[in-house]
Amino acid sequence: MDETVSQSAANIPRLGRNVTRRVNSLMGVQIIGTGSYVPELVRTNQQMAEQCPGCDPDWIEQRTGIRERRIAAEEESTSDLAVRAAQYALAKAGLYASDVDLLVVGTFTPDYQCPSTACLVQDRLGLDAPAFDVQAACSGFMYALTTAAQYVATGNSRLALVIGADCNSRIVDQTDRSIAPLFGDGAGAVLLAPGTMQQGLKAYQLASDGSGGMMLDRKAGGTRFPLTPEAIRSGEHYLQMDGRNVFKWAVRTVTESIEVVLESAGLSRHDVSLYVLHQANQRIIDAVAEKLGLAPDRFLNNVHKYGNTSAASIPLVLDEACSAGVIDRGDTLLMCGFGAGLTWGTSLLVW
Ligand code: UT7
């Protein structure tokens, strides 16, 4: 093992925690609309290589499956992407902003530390609704969806707007070849409403393991290490990732979590209509498919077009699938988000 890897591994306190066996169920909710938005600017691997010293465009595609990603315009930020995704979702569903009575936004790249991005979106859409952010990084959408589902299932919300949005290009060092090519910007939204008792989250788990928090972190800019000129000079305000260890953790955790959720639902892996995993790296999705003994075409993917869009990736790929007409009522979708925290959220959703 090379020295850098052994040093970073030594910084990971435990990370031995097994995947929790806690699973819950929440029926009576349904997704009645989806929407998404990505910025217009496309940055190809070749363009990425031109700005990152030592970056090889073929390496990016071979090691991640990513060919290009979208980059927000200078005047665009997370709330702008979120608003556009929400507007598309409402328009496609034929619903009005005035119908929404709850807004939950999953993001780890908020416009500001305060106020929340959700409040900015609420104002722009003119919603009469409580609005709050959920910060669970790349699991942000799964956390936001599951949170909103509780309100809908209890009758405390009739139409919840759930958004996953991230403007990652603002928090990664665009000249660092080890991280810049991996991430992109985007947003996805779903509308959640009461459903039949056959629809909803047949089984789900939300989980966390903070012992691995430093595997994927932004050190400076919070109350522990406030932003200082020194911190900015040393790049501590940027996202850093122990990629190799996160990769191994992700493949193991996602596979085990899917198995636990399916077992709890009394279903086999072959009963699932579609697998919708967080789009971080095509090799992670392929490795999970292989471990589960499933053909790769059972898994949605668009990481080649957008890279890792964090909380946006699941609703983005879901919206593409809905637009392509590949999801029918009664289908079972196995959705799984995973990332910094460490966090993960896995749901078997009956559409
Ligand atoms: O969304 C939240 C969760 N995030 C993830 O799930 C991401 C998980 N991790 C990964 O996807 C992968 O670990 C990475 C894509 C980040 C890295 O892939 P890898 O196959 O684990 O590569 P590596 O980090 O082991 O790097 C292999 C080599 C290194 O060179 P040395 O040390 O062997 O000389 C890197 O410096 O590849 C080098 N390298 C590059 N070379 C050309 C790293 N980035 C590049 C690049 N171009 N862009």
Side-chain angles (χ1 to χ4, degrees):
M1 190 186 285
D2 78 45
E3 210 185 326
T4 355
V5 173
S6 64
Q7 270 173 7
S8 60
N11 289 337
I12 304 163
R14 286 181 278 123
L15 246 212
R17 252 197 63 182
N18 289 328
V19 166
T20 177
R21 297 201 65 81
R22 283 195 179 145
V23 181
N24 290 295
S25 178
L26 191 68
M27 301 304 276
V29 297
Q30 61 169 327
I31 290 178
I32 58 166
T34 63
S36 62
Y37 175 75
V38 289
E40 276 175 28
L41 182 70
V42 176
R43 190 168 287 163
T44 63
N45 287 353
Q46 186 56 46
Q47 290 164 327
M48 207 76 233
E50 284 158 18
Q51 68 183 51
C52 289
C55 185
D56 173 359
D58 295 332
W59 185 97
I60 303 170
E61 185 164 353
Q62 282 158 16
R63 306 306 289 168
T64 69
I66 300 166
R67 290 186 208 138
E68 56 189 41
R69 71 287 296 141
R70 298 300 180 98
I71 305 292
E74 225 170 276
E75 68 280 4
E76 267 178 330
S77 61
T78 301
S79 67
D80 300 308
L81 311 184
V83 164
R84 296 289 288 269
Q87 285 168 334
Y88 285 128
L90 287 165
K92 282 203 284 179
L95 293 165
Y96 297 100
S98 53
D99 299 325
V100 173
D101 59 12
L102 173 71
L103 169 62
V104 188
V105 176
T107 185
F108 84 138
T109 55
D111 285 30
Y112 305 106
Q113 294 281 357
C114 177
S116 69
T117 301
C119 284
L120 303 175
V121 174
Q122 171 275 325
D123 182 44
R124 290 266 299 282
L125 293 175
L127 307 181
D128 176 9
F132 55 92
D133 289 359
V134 168
Q135 205 276 50
C138 299
S139 311
F141 175 74
M142 295 309 295
Y143 269 67
L145 178 75
T146 311
T147 302
Q150 315 291 325
Y151 285 77
V152 175
T154 53
N156 288 316
S157 166
R158 302 292 301 170
L159 184 65
L161 172 59
V162 183
I163 304 175
D166 274 305
C167 208
N168 290 323
S169 62
R170 297 276 152 73
I171 62 151
V172 299
D173 179 354
Q174 290 296 315
T175 63
D176 181 348
R177 72 169 188 174
S178 71
I179 195 152
L182 310 177
F183 289 92
D185 304 332
V190 303
L191 290 159
L192 211 56
T196 69
M197 289 318 286
Q198 280 70 50
Q199 292 177 300
L201 307 175
K202 193 171 169 70
Y204 73 89
Q205 72 170 198
L206 290 181
S208 61
D209 183 357
S211 73
M214 295 303 132
M215 287 168 76
L216 232 172
D217 69 338
R218 285 177 75 197
K219 275 209 178 54
T223 53
R224 175 74 62 191
F225 300 112
L227 208 54
T228 59
E230 292 72 38
I232 293 175
R233 260 195 301 278
S234 58
E236 285 177 348
H237 58 306
Y238 286 130
L239 186 70
Q240 72 83 35
M241 174 166 67
D242 177 358
R244 238 182 262 186
N245 281 311
V246 172
F247 188 104
K248 288 182 210 155
W249 166 80
V251 173
R252 176 175 62 83
T253 303
V254 171
T255 308
E256 287 178 21
S257 179
I258 288 174
E259 282 170 341
V260 169
V261 164
L262 285 174
E263 187 188 317
S264 165
L267 293 178
S268 115
R269 56 194 71 176
H270 301 288
D271 296 328
V272 173
S273 316
L274 273 174
Y275 287 81
V276 192
L277 270 49
H278 167 49
Q279 307 285 301
N281 184 330
Q282 188 61 47
R283 283 170 52 232
I284 294 179
I285 298 174
D286 293 345
V288 171
E290 194 184 327
K291 274 177 164 268
L292 292 173
L294 294 167
D297 65 3
R298 305 285 300 279
F299 291 70
L300 292 182
N301 67 69
N302 62 8
V303 72
H304 57 290
K305 288 193 288 185
Y306 305 125
N308 182 344
T309 55
S310 300
S313 85
I314 290 179
L316 196 53
V317 79
L318 198 58
D319 182 47
E320 278 191 358
C322 288
S323 298
V326 298
I327 303 177
D328 294 317
R329 284 282 158 223
D331 278 356
T332 47
L333 267 59
L334 195 302
M335 304 156 79
C336 178
F338 55 90
L342 300 164
T343 53
W344 64 100
T346 309
S347 288
L348 184 79
L349 177 95
V350 183
W351 192 261

